[in-house]
Amino acid sequence: VALYDARSGDVSQGGAADLGIVESKLKQVVMQGATFHDPATGLLIAAVSLGGQPIGSLAIQGTTLSDGALQALLNLVAIALERVRTEEAANRAEVARQSEEFKSTLLDAIAHEFKTPLTSIKAASTAILGDSPTLSPQVRELTTIIDEETDRLSLLVTEAVRMSQIDAGKLRVERQPQQAPVS
C-alpha cells in the first residue's frame, strides 16, 4: 500500500513489497482524478477525494476490491487525511496561542522590571529638582534631562505593554458615539 498526500507531497508506504515506481503514478492519478489499474502487476491506484476535490491517491497491490469496497476504503482514507490535517491545524493554533501568551507574560514581567527602577529614578530626580535653589545651573539641567527622559522611557514601556495586550487580544475596544468638535 502507498498513500500520497497531495497537500504535503508526502508518500507513505507500507507492506512487504516496495512500490518505488508508484510515486509518479500516484501524483498523476491525483492530477487526473482517475483510477489506474495494471492487471499484470495487480497494482491499483485510485484518487482520494473529499468534497469532490482530489486530496491524494492510494495505491494497493496484491489484492482485488469490489467498486463498493474501494469507494468505502477511499472515503475512509479521505476522512483520515482530513482528520490529520485538522489536528495539525489545531496543534499549530494552540502553539501560536501559547506563544502569544508567553510573549505577553514575558513582556509584562519585563515591563514591571523596567517600571520599578524608572519609578525610583523619577522620584530621585523630582526630589533633587525640588531643592533647585541650592543646585548649580549645570546640575539642574542634567537633573531635568534625567527627569524628562525617565518620563519618556516610562511612556515607551507603557506603550509596549499596551501593544502586547492588543496583540494578545486582552485589550477590548469600547465603541461609543462621540460629538465631533465644531470649528
Side-chain angles (χ1 to χ4, degrees):
V1 174
L3 176 65
Y4 171 66
D5 183 354
R7 184 180 291 173
S8 68
D10 293 337
V11 176
S12 303
Q13 293 189 24
D18 181 25
L19 304 175
I21 60 165
V22 173
E23 188 169 337
S24 63
K25 252 327 188 192
L26 285 165
K27 292 177 183 179
Q28 183 181 6
V29 165
V30 170
M31 297 281 201
Q32 296 171 349
T35 301
F36 170 79
H37 182 62
D38 184 1
T41 61
L43 180 63
L44 172 68
I45 303 175
V48 177
S49 299
L50 188 66
Q53 299 291 342
I55 61 170
S57 57
L58 180 68
I60 304 170
Q61 188 173 32
T63 188
T64 56
L65 296 172
S66 68
D67 285 342
L70 177 61
Q71 285 307 311
L73 178 61
L74 292 173
N75 287 338
L76 287 173
V77 169
I79 291 167
L81 272 176
E82 192 58 28
R83 181 172 178 224
V84 167
R85 289 176 182 167
T86 302
E87 286 176 1
E88 287 173 351
N91 288 340
R92 283 192 304 273
E94 178 62 17
V95 166
R97 186 196 62 76
Q98 287 177 353
S99 175
E100 283 298 318
E101 188 176 306
F102 175 72
K103 182 176 86 172
S104 178
T105 302
L106 182 63
L107 192 55
D108 285 344
I110 289 171
H112 177 72
E113 291 300 318
F114 277 115
K115 286 271 191 183
T116 302
L118 284 173
T119 302
S120 299
I121 294 168
K122 178 68 176 176
S125 65
T126 303
I128 292 171
L129 287 173
D131 292 336
S132 60
T134 62
L135 295 177
S136 69
Q138 183 180 10
V139 172
R140 183 179 300 112
E141 181 182 349
L142 290 174
T143 307
T144 301
I145 291 171
I146 291 169
D147 194 62
E148 290 170 357
E149 293 303 314
T150 302
D151 289 339
R152 187 169 150 261
L153 279 174
S154 184
L155 180 65
L156 288 173
V157 170
T158 301
E159 290 301 315
V161 169
R162 285 184 183 151
M163 290 301 292
S164 170
Q165 290 171 338
I166 290 169
D167 283 346
K170 292 181 180 177
L171 197 63
R172 301 282 181 235
V173 176
E174 292 182 19
R175 297 179 185 173
Q176 296 178 354
Q178 297 292 320
Q179 185 70 22
V182 179
S183 303

